[in-house]
Amino acid sequence: MTLLTALQGGSGDSADALRISDGPGLSREQLLGAATAVADRVAGAPALAVLARSTAETVVAVVGGLLAGVPVVPLPPDSGPKERAHILRDSGAALLAHAAADTPPEDAGVAGLPVDLGERSATTYAEPDPAATAFLLYTSGTTGAPKGAMIGRSAVAADLDALADAWQWTAEDTLVHGLPLFHVHGLVLGVLGALRTGSRLVHTGRPTPAGYAAAGGSLYFGVPTVWSRLAADQEAAARLASARLLVSGSAPLPVPVFERLAALTGHAPIERYGMTESLITVSTRADGERRPGSVGLPVAGVRTRLVGEDGGPVPYDGESVGELQVAGPTLFRGYLNRPDADAEAWTADGWFRTGDVAVIGPDGFHRIVGRASVDLIKSGGYRIGAGEVEAALRDHPAVADAAVVGAPDEDLGQAIVAYVVPDGPVTGEQLTDFVAERLSVHKRPRRVVLVPELPRNALGKVLKKQLLADSAHG
């Protein structure tokens, strides 16, 4: 089934098939009518930027671009002038869609396109080439200016169908989330997934425990920060007992949060793994085992492998760490105007280098260790996954959260440094001993820094490069 056919089908024809925060509810017919009016105005444009606030206008603009076959460029509303200028210039966007009541940035440098939810058009658009670009999604740019990942229409369709299968996601569901609408998680999964399956969508505006508890959904999406806050609110968590499935992604879910959610809601959460460039490639299943700390198995059509530093295969023994590489129909088409980045991202035999390190067990279950650049620590000749040490630290009753980095060390190459958010009286020496009792002695932190909170981005991922910079001055 093509992407556009699915968007125009489905059974979500109630008056509130789509509702965002306290905004007006839209039926599927109203949404598509307004989106078609946008499509009439953008057809033929090289790209359509969308000021991606959490509003119904954002959804209408995105769907309008897809209807017209114009690549959609979600623009983070909190992007600074330099980042915004780069994205608009690099993507070639000729228009910037925004809510009619909104004021686009004065320095945007492209024509504004106000979106009116009351507009309607009955124009019929043929399905564009499935190989055409649906989205230009810009990466975080931690190693330079953000790169535009070209996400094909067929990749979006393949991934959403694979997830519908894995999560038993149907038109009978009501999806609830409060995630930003400029990332894969909140936009592609959290909006287009609902449109493709025909399920109702309730976006809470902000992902608060109270908002999730009041939404009455059957399927919930969240990042670990969201689930951690909900697990700390016993009353709100109890109201999710009537749900069917809780899905966590974008960063590893701490095992204590997994266990508390399961105890309070009666639902062991689903964990999944993916990237902007690959969409979601690995997930536990609604009808399968949900193992704390594991993201499960490859979704339909996706293949994975672990590769060592020597380029050889890494055994699936549940212990050996290797770089995770993926292949399949959900992968992006490449980086816009960046052949150098493409050359680095792909292997000679056509596999995508995720840059993440992982462990795969004999049963095929995947556990993500983290980013090779910051989470694979080489200390004293050992290869240590930061995630394993973090999980051990979080098992301590006086630890609320933890992040581990490998700081440069003249003797060891890298020394394990742990940043810990305490939840009670505890010392660094106690935590070092605690880890050494549970893991190999060489995996114990050489230094523990107690902090009030960990720096995180909008999706809840710890900013480890910032911690590494801090460690250099520590």
Side-chain angles (χ1 to χ4, degrees), residues 12 105 213 234 341 473:
Q234 186 170 346
H473 299 94

Side-chain angles (χ1 to χ4, degrees), residues 365-392:
F365 267 60
H366 291 51
R367 179 166 56 85
I368 306 300
V369 174
R371 296 297 292 171
S373 58
V374 292
D375 291 310
L376 182 59
I377 301 170
K378 300 173 185 177
S379 181
Y382 294 99
R383 290 159 56 87
I384 302 158
E388 185 179 17
V389 184
E390 291 165 354

Side-chain angles (χ1 to χ4, degrees), residues 188-208:
V188 179
L189 274 62
V191 172
L192 296 190
L195 291 175
R196 188 165 179 83
T197 61
S199 65
R200 182 170 173 257
L201 170 61
V202 177
H203 190 289
T204 58
R206 295 179 60 84
T208 63

